[in-house]
């Protein structure tokens, strides 16, 4: 969905014709962040933007806004570069975004592997293959560590004049009514940063939104983890070149793909209850659960782990609550978490930040707030794929269903191409 179309659809409301003067005046009284604000402040290249989180969503948004001349501060909790839990499969459609961001060639030169097909296998090794060529892009996906990818994006942001504070976390939020006025960033030093627009790109932590919701008196969010995920890098993995292996095992699924420097990424996710039952130690889970998959066992035979395990718990999937503060927007996993087996979380982060950058830099909105415009565009762009993934996730964790689905899809090229496309934008499948 292009932003041009979104703008047209978010124009006159309630069947009334759009009279800029009347609507802007009315809205200015009603809201702090309204269409006039969109025009005079957000559309104003001197606007100050604070982005929390320098994963693909935050860094790519920083690059896009800096390119348009905005004054951007990017705050990242970790000291970069750093390893990050992820399957490190960069889907083919992402390369177009990287070209726009000015990092495509750098990323391709870092030794990652080009992935031409993804094989999905059930526990017994029965499988089907999806070619990278059916997705929009250049016919291949890229497998590259997040250590390199995220570093490269952050360097690009710095080169464009973004003020980057890494090793610094967004700790507190100060507000005036329904708008954030400043955030407190805590690193080696403590700093208060004033801005006009604030963006939560802190991933599934949604740290900035949660801090802002606390100030707005919102309910705290707590819940039991639904799933636990683990990741490591290994050497001497036996994997067909150019292939990403996705395999199912009782209670979960995982992936193996070659990355740079002769290493491979192993990442798996399983139901939290199953992991607890087996002891929740990654090496034990690998032996007792993951290697029940014939594919995993065969790829990993004789492999050596070269890094510590990274682990995260996953509390929810899909769309997250909308921020209460009117000048706070969420992007990437902080806005919605799509199921990892689609290999499209990073793509969604890149697409979402493009959507948001287009809205922030637009100067010709109708009488809608920036949040309303973004929400509507977000639902149009990602609603269907999030619904499809929610159904697939439920199926993936049921006993026997992955095996049956893999058998059925194995004999239906149209079915699997349709499914691959449905987990992405509407125009993605060929
Ligand atoms: C098991 C698993 C496997 C996956 N495999 C793939 C895959 O193969 N391909 C794919 O495309 N996607 C995959 N994903 C999804 C992908 O990792 C995410 O969709 C993607 O990282 C989202 O990017 P982001 O920028 O929104 O968030 P993140 O990449 O999570 O970045 C958020 C950043 O915010 C920082 N941060 C957190 N709190 C604060 C704070 N208080 N202040 C400042 N900074 C903060 C973090 O340190 C982090 O650097 C996988 C996810 C999981 C769980």
């Amino acid at each position: 969905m292009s932003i041009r179309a979104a703008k047209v659809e978010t124009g006159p409301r309630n069947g009334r014709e759009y009279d800029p003067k009347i609507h802007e005046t009315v809205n200015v009284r009603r809201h702090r962040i309204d269409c006039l604000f969109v025009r005079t402040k957000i559309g104003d290249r001197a606007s100050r933007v604070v982005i929390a989180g320098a994963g693909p969503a935050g860094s790519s948004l920083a690059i896009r806004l800096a390119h348009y001349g905005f004054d951007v501060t990017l705050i990242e909790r970790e000291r970069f570069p750093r390893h990050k839990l992820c399957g490190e499969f960069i889907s083919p459609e992402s390369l177009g975004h990287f070209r726009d961001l000015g990092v495509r060639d750098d990323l391709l030169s870092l030794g990652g592997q080009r992935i031409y097909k993804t094989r999905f296998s059930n526990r017994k090794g029965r499988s089907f293959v999806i070619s990278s060529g059916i997705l929009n892009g250049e016919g291949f996906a890229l497998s590259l560590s997040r250590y390199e990818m995220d570093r490269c994006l952050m360097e690009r942001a710095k080169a464009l004049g973004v003020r980057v504070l890494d090793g610094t976390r967004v700790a507190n939020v100060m507000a005036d009514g329904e708008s954030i006025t400043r955030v407190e960033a805590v690193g080696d030093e403590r700093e208060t940063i004033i801005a006009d627009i604030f963006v939560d790109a802190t991933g599934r932590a949604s740290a900035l939104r949660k801090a802002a919701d606390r100030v707005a008196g919102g309910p705290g969010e707590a819940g039991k983890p639904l799933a636990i995920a683990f990741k490591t890098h290994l050497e001497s993995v036996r994997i067909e070149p150019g292939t990403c292996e996705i395999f199912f095992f009782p209670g979960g699924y995982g992936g193996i793909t070659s990355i740079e420097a002769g290493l491979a990424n192993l990442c798996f996710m399983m139901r939290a209850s199953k992991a607890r039952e087996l002891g929740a130690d990654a090496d034990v889970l690998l032996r007792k659960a993951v290697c029940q998959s014939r594919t995993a066992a065969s790829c990993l035979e004789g492999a050596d782990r070269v890094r510590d395990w990274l682990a995260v718990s996953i509390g929810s999937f899909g769309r997250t609550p909308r921020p209460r503060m009117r000048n706070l927007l969420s992007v990437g996993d902080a806005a919605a978490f799509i199921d990892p087996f689609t290999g499209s979380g990073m793509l969604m982060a890149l697409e979402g930040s493009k959507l948001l950058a287009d809205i922030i830099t637009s100067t010709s909105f109708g009488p809608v707030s920036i949040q309303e415009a973004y929400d509507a565009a977000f639902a149009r762009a990602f609603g269907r794929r999030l619904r499809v993934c929610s159904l697939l996730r439920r199926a993936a964790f049921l006993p026997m269903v992955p095996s049956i689905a893999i058998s059925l899809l194995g004999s239906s090229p149209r079915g699997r191409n349709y499914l691959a496309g449905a987990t992405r934008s509407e125009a993605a499948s060929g």
Side-chain angles (χ1 to χ4, degrees), residues 348-361:
M348 238 179 93
L350 296 167
E351 288 179 337
S353 72
K354 177 176 185 325
L355 203 66
L356 182 54
D358 284 348
I359 288 176
I360 290 175
T361 56

Side-chain angles (χ1 to χ4, degrees), residues 27-322:
N27 281 336
V28 162
R29 289 201 191 110
R30 275 197 207 130
H31 306 307
R32 292 179 68 87
I33 304 295
D34 56 12
C35 65
L36 190 63
F37 186 92
V38 169
R39 289 195 183 179
T40 60
K41 276 205 154 179
I42 293 176
D44 177 353
R45 304 294 141 100
S47 294
R48 295 155 300 181
V49 183
V50 161
I51 302 171
S59 284
S60 64
L61 180 64
I63 293 168
R64 288 186 189 277
L65 294 180
H67 180 76
Y68 278 103
F70 283 74
D71 172 353
V72 185
T73 303
L74 181 61
I75 305 171
E76 164 57 47
R77 185 183 57 189
E78 305 292 329
R79 186 80 62 198
F80 265 41
R82 51 86 176 101
H83 288 286
K84 168 98 183 132
L85 190 143
C86 182
E88 301 179 327
F89 171 91
I90 305 170
S91 72
E93 307 96 317
S94 306
L95 292 173
H97 290 273
F98 291 143
R99 185 182 295 108
D100 294 350
L101 297 167
V103 294
R104 176 190 173 278
D105 295 346
D106 287 345
L107 287 174
L108 287 179
S109 72
L110 289 168
Q113 300 296 308
R114 294 180 183 213
I115 302 295
Y116 295 97
K117 64 182 183 192
T118 301
R119 183 166 26 233
F120 290 82
S121 325
N122 69 11
R123 187 166 71 89
K124 293 185 176 160
R126 192 153 182 189
S127 65
F128 67 80
V129 163
I130 291 188
S131 155
S132 302
I134 69 153
L135 303 171
N136 283 341
E138 300 174 33
F140 62 90
L142 179 65
S143 267
L144 180 71
S145 68
R146 292 288 299 269
Y147 186 89
E148 291 294 354
M149 187 191 102
D150 291 14
R151 178 190 60 75
C152 191
L153 285 166
M154 184 184 270
E155 289 306 318
R156 175 74 178 147
K158 280 184 190 164
L160 288 172
V162 172
R163 180 170 179 243
V164 175
L165 305 174
D166 63 342
T168 302
R169 84 192 152 84
V170 170
N172 291 311
V173 161
M174 280 133 272
D176 176 7
E178 292 184 327
S179 296
I180 301 180
T181 52
R182 62 197 74 200
V183 293
E184 189 185 34
V186 181
D188 293 336
E189 287 168 16
R190 199 173 275 266
E191 188 181 340
T192 299
I193 304 168
I194 299 172
D196 305 299
I197 307 167
F198 297 83
V199 179
D200 186 355
T202 61
R204 282 169 302 97
S206 293
L208 182 54
R209 177 183 59 78
K210 285 179 184 167
D213 282 356
R214 279 195 296 276
V215 171
E221 286 167 46
K224 282 190 179 169
L226 298 174
I228 301 194
F230 298 88
K231 169 217 167 159
T232 191
H233 287 161
L234 306 124
E235 59 187 11
S236 310
V237 168
R238 301 196 310 190
I239 186 165
E240 188 186 332
T243 306
C244 171
E245 299 281 1
I246 302 287
F247 49 84
F248 290 82
F249 56 85
Y253 62 86
I256 300 177
T257 180
S258 298
I259 55 164
E260 69 272 18
L263 299 178
N265 170 303
L266 164 67
C267 194
F268 64 91
M269 186 167 93
M270 59 194 300
R271 275 202 318 268
S273 55
K274 179 85 179 171
R276 272 196 301 271
E277 186 189 309
L278 294 173
D281 175 279
D283 286 314
V284 174
L285 294 175
L286 182 62
R287 246 188 359 262
K288 287 192 179 168
V290 177
C291 284
Q292 285 197 31
S293 148
R294 274 195 197 159
T295 304
S298 131
C299 289
L300 298 174
E301 195 185 338
D304 291 315
R305 187 158 62 77
V306 297
R307 270 188 239 300
D308 288 342
W309 288 102
L310 294 177
V312 292
S313 62
I314 294 163
S316 65
F317 293 84
R319 192 80 165 101
T320 57
R322 178 185 180 177

